[in-house]
Amino acid sequence: MDLIQLEMFNAVAETGSINAAAQKVHRVPSNLTTRIKQLEADLGVDLFIRENQRLKLAPAGHSFLEYSKRILALVDEARMVVAGDEPQGMLALGSLESTAAVRIPPLLASFNQRYPKIQLSLATGPSGDQIDGVLEGKLSAAFVDGPVLHPSLDGVPVYEEEMVIVTPGDRSAIRDARQVNGSDIYAFRANCSYRRHFESWFHHDGAMPGKIHEMESYHGMLACVVAGAGIALMPRSMLESMPGSHQASAWPLPPDWRYLKTWLIWRRGAKTRQLDAFMGLLNPLA
């Protein structure tokens, strides 16, 4: 097994095609076919399922891809350290939408100014998607609702969010979920930690939400609430950043449910030099 084989394997895994992978790594297709077969022989397993002209990762291939990416990333990091250059390369971050919109824009601006050679990308989505992205090696790190108790992940708390129930402006104060029993709620998909938190609050108080309408943005949620179509849960910082927030009322959850911490997580043992540089600009919570 060598680094060229790993690069070829990654290319085939990403493209699903020997010909496309060959163009990506600037090799002839026959060379890739031979080297991939040699790699499978060395490992003693089939890494791909071959269907006509397409190659799909076999179960062993999925597992091996994670390690292959980590090995190549470590090699790149080692080259940069030995060369003594400033950090460079890719840093793929994931984030909750609210964190990306309110908390980290100044941080990203400072990072880009300080480390211009690092190519930073940002993907937003629910905590569940971000955690999967880190575990699968698609993301170097992600901002998620924490703590995240997973044996393959490390993390630190970085922000504290006050969670508020957003209702139409003429709604009276809410202190108990039974006051909004059966209300329609607007939320992200089922793998959103804030949605689970909201549903858990209902169940704790012996109440049930009505229909759950899945939305793609907080702006959409707020518009529906202001129109009188239901209620939503979101961080106060997110609500106050949006136009039209003055048309809604915000009611804090009870003390035991009111605050959630946002964590930055990364795969254990896979912290890169780029991620270290990014974390150097953070101010983690005590």
Side-chain angles (χ1 to χ4, degrees), residues 72-91:
L72 292 176
L74 285 171
V75 170
D76 286 341
E77 182 179 349
R79 285 172 176 157
M80 286 188 290
V81 170
V82 171
D85 294 334
E86 63 180 291
Q88 57 184 295
M90 293 292 299
L91 177 61

Side-chain angles (χ1 to χ4, degrees), residues 6 9-10 12-14 36 39-40 43 45-49 56-69 136:
L6 296 183
F9 166 75
N10 286 8
V12 175
E14 291 172 6
I36 293 296
L39 180 60
E40 289 178 317
L43 295 172
V45 294
D46 288 334
L47 298 174
F48 293 99
I49 299 170
K56 295 169 51 179
L57 281 172
H62 279 287
S63 299
F64 187 72
L65 179 61
E66 176 186 319
Y67 289 98
S68 178
K69 287 182 176 179
E136 293 167 5

